[in-house]
Amino acid sequence: MSSTSPSAHEYALIGCSKKKLPMRMPAWSMYLGSSFATFMAYARVRNLNRFVLSGKHGLLTPYSIIEPYDFDLEAMTHVEQIAWSNDVAEQIRNAIPPGSILTFMAGPAYTNNVMNELEDEFTCGSLSIEDARKFVGDHYTTNYRDPS
């Protein structure tokens, strides 16, 4: 495997952001939040495979074309959040080989229930925004927009 290829078994699952561009485009360029940019930069520097966790769409590749939307997972009831988590866990099972390392980079509403659902099939962990910023540096994340 070349040093520029992502590790076949390590994945970053990055939470979407409330701030979005107002037109149809790939997920990696739709979300404008600083945390999203920082986590995408971290995943790129670490050479991780990347997916986006969307409250509306569930699991997305960075290249998934989506329309702008206004949806807040945290506004859902606990039962609705559990159903969303179960759906996302199933999407992950269908997209990522069992035994892979999953690093969740999102808030608790997007991660806790999903991680609990997958812990017997994957190695799951999470990364704080503070640790991601320390790793990549603020300058790099401010200027990051490259999906490759």
Side-chain angles (χ1 to χ4, degrees), residues 77-119:
T77 68
H78 180 68
V79 171
E80 291 170 328
Q81 287 183 12
I82 294 294
W84 179 89
S85 297
N86 291 338
D87 290 345
V88 169
E90 190 60 29
Q91 291 174 322
I92 290 169
R93 287 183 187 103
N94 291 328
I96 299 174
S100 295
I101 299 167
L102 308 180
T103 302
F104 288 82
M105 304 176 191
Y110 288 80
T111 61
N112 291 350
N113 294 325
V114 177
M115 287 175 68
N116 290 338
E117 180 73 21
L118 298 172
E119 66 187 356

Side-chain angles (χ1 to χ4, degrees), residues 49-139:
N49 298 289
R50 296 174 293 269
F51 283 92
V52 177
L53 295 173
S54 163
K56 180 175 181 178
H57 301 288
L59 189 69
L60 298 169
T61 72
Y63 301 102
S64 298
I65 305 297
I66 58 173
E67 299 281 343
Y69 62 91
D70 187 15
F71 184 87
D72 185 0
L73 184 63
E74 293 178 1
M76 297 170 72
T77 68
H78 180 68
V79 171
E80 291 170 328
Q81 287 183 12
I82 294 294
W84 179 89
S85 297
N86 291 338
D87 290 345
V88 169
E90 190 60 29
Q91 291 174 322
I92 290 169
R93 287 183 187 103
N94 291 328
I96 299 174
S100 295
I101 299 167
L102 308 180
T103 302
F104 288 82
M105 304 176 191
Y110 288 80
T111 61
N112 291 350
N113 294 325
V114 177
M115 287 175 68
N116 290 338
E117 180 73 21
L118 298 172
E119 66 187 356
D120 293 335
E121 302 159 70
F122 299 91
T123 301
C124 298
S126 62
L127 179 72
S128 72
I129 190 63
E130 294 81 11
D131 288 341
R133 283 186 182 125
K134 286 178 194 172
F135 185 83
V136 296
D138 288 329
H139 176 74

